[in-house]
Amino acid sequence: MQTYTLSAPAKINLDLEIIGDRPDGYHELVMILQSVALSDRLTLRPNGLEGFRLSCAHREVPTDDTNIAYRAAELMAAQFPQHFANFGGVDIDIEKNIPVAAGLAGGSSNGAAVLVGLDLIWNLGLTKSQLRDLGARLGSDVPFCIEGGTVIATGRGERLAPITPMESVPVILAKYDNLAVSTAWAYQTYRQRFGDTYKNFAETGKPKSAHSVPLVNAIFEKDLARIAGLLHNDLEKVVLPEYPRVANLLSGLKRAGGTASMMSGSGPTVFTLCESEEQARTIIEEVRNQIQDPHLQFWLTHLSNQGITIVN
Ligand code: ATP
């Protein structure tokens, strides 16, 4: 049986709007999700055993059954017991390049890669839509991670509508390596502080998104100046006041000329879309001069239209 290596990209949010409460306890969301080229690599090697083993050299990534990649393997084994019995388990190795707990869906992308990889190794022949349905059971971002590209995501984030992809645009990701924000904390705090602003949408059953339509148009026209003015993330309202270093980093990027800057997901990563790599390098240099903190890290990558892909 073949060993597969898969590329599992990170994502950023170009739009994140919380527009209602859901009966399942989650929020009703409207998001525009965008893949970036920065990716983890997962190798799935058939081990001939009745189980899965996982390795990852990154010290913040669990290697037990709390790892979402491991949970993805267990989900596949439970769904396809006959194939699991016939083909056996796999050893999963994660080469972690995406910063952890950063609002970049690194874990979700790893889970998505295991679903795609086991589909190949076990010869299941699942469709993308079947893979996305399985992914939704692992986490709200997993279906998008399978799909990739530029996508409007609604519901908990699992209902996807692809739009004109924005490829090749250089993007800076910036983050303090000693700062993490809990996604659950960010959403719960948003509900506590701003729940009354969207409750009636849930009651009338007519949730509204204020930002996604103009942003989709600007993306269609590839108009970076308009995109800059339309980027929107509701979670900034709770994360930025609580984490002034993130707020300061974001304003530093804007001051350095990165007008298309925003926090991704629940943070703490912030990103800047750039006109060129040269502009991106100038911005990074200027922010490094403004904020002299050894824990501040930058990645210069670009937008991509790829979800999970097979490397070999
Ligand atoms: P989200 O998918 O909600 O956007 P995120 O990008 O903010 O998540 P992740 O990097 O996915 O954050 O990690 C969140 C937590 O999940 C980590 O602190 C880690 O303990 C745990 N975790 C479980 N599996 C993984 C994985 N494969 N990669 C990274 N973290 C993982």
Side-chain angles (χ1 to χ4, degrees):
M1 263 182 301
Q2 199 181 328
T3 293
Y4 281 95
T5 301
L6 299 124
S7 169
K11 68 96 184 111
I12 55 173
N13 296 74
L14 304 177
D15 182 32
L16 191 164
E17 293 174 79
I18 299 172
I19 60 169
D21 266 330
R22 294 166 53 96
D24 60 11
Y26 286 88
H27 286 100
E28 185 72 24
L29 303 173
V30 176
M31 299 189 284
I32 299 180
L33 301 175
Q34 171 67 57
S35 303
V36 298
L38 177 69
S39 302
D40 291 341
R41 274 200 175 193
L42 281 85
T43 302
L44 273 64
R45 184 172 287 108
N47 62 15
L49 303 172
E50 287 170 17
F52 303 101
R53 295 185 297 205
L54 189 139
S55 55
C56 180
H58 195 297
R59 61 188 163 78
E60 287 163 53
V61 176
T63 50
D64 58 11
D65 60 5
T66 61
N67 192 300
I68 186 164
Y70 193 93
R71 291 200 288 115
E74 284 186 321
L75 173 67
M76 291 294 270
Q79 286 296 303
F80 306 102
Q82 203 56 55
H83 291 79
F84 179 39
N86 290 346
F87 293 103
V90 293
D91 288 347
I92 304 165
D93 182 66
I94 303 176
E95 181 193 309
K96 186 51 80 179
N97 305 312
I98 304 172
V100 176
L104 298 172
S108 302
S109 195
N110 294 174
V114 169
L115 299 182
V116 172
L118 283 178
D119 173 52
L120 293 166
I121 292 170
W122 291 352
N123 236 334
L124 291 164
L126 298 175
T127 62
K128 255 208 181 161
S129 144
Q130 288 170 315
L131 286 166
R132 283 199 308 261
D133 288 348
L134 284 166
R137 297 167 59 171
L138 283 175
S140 308
D141 285 340
V142 180
F144 168 75
C145 292
I146 293 169
E147 190 72 35
T150 312
V151 164
I152 302 180
T154 52
R156 287 190 291 134
E158 82 290 3
R159 284 205 308 266
L160 307 178
I163 57 173
T164 333
M166 282 218 294
E167 294 174 70
S168 317
V169 176
V171 58
I172 301 167
L173 305 177
K175 171 184 182 291
Y176 291 98
D177 68 6
N178 59 351
L179 188 64
V181 175
S182 150
T183 303
W185 169 85
Y187 278 99
Q188 276 159 18
T189 309
Y190 191 91
R191 176 173 280 133
Q192 279 160 16
R193 301 217 187 123
F194 303 105
D196 52 341
T197 64
Y198 57 74
K199 284 247 160 56
N200 32 0
F201 286 146
E203 280 157 20
T204 56
K206 286 183 212 143
K208 289 206 174 59
S209 144
H211 304 273
S212 59
V213 175
L215 186 50
V216 167
N217 288 334
I219 290 171
F220 181 72
E221 284 158 21
K222 303 203 176 349
D223 184 340
L224 199 57
R226 261 179 69 216
I227 292 171
L230 291 164
L231 295 170
H232 181 88
N233 183 349
D234 275 337
L235 293 176
E236 284 188 342
K237 282 194 275 188
V238 292
V239 177
L240 299 185
E242 189 74 21
Y243 295 90
R245 288 165 84 203
V246 181
N248 189 34
L249 175 56
L250 187 57
S251 45
L253 286 160
K254 289 180 182 168
R255 264 200 312 277
T259 47
S261 297
M262 194 173 72
M263 186 179 82
S264 181
S266 54
T269 304
V270 296
F271 68 84
T272 302
L273 306 180
C274 300
E275 298 283 356
S276 65
E277 285 203 9
E278 197 193 348
Q279 185 204 19
R281 273 190 276 272
T282 309
I283 291 171
I284 292 173
E285 206 183 303
E286 207 165 314
V287 177
R288 271 199 207 286
N289 288 336
Q290 280 176 36
I291 306 172
Q292 297 191 355
D293 184 326
H295 291 289
L296 179 55
Q297 294 186 312
F298 293 93
W299 292 259
L300 174 49
T301 180
H302 58 88
L303 304 188
S304 142
N305 71 347
Q306 305 275 8
I308 303 299
T309 52
I310 302 164
V311 178
N312 57 50

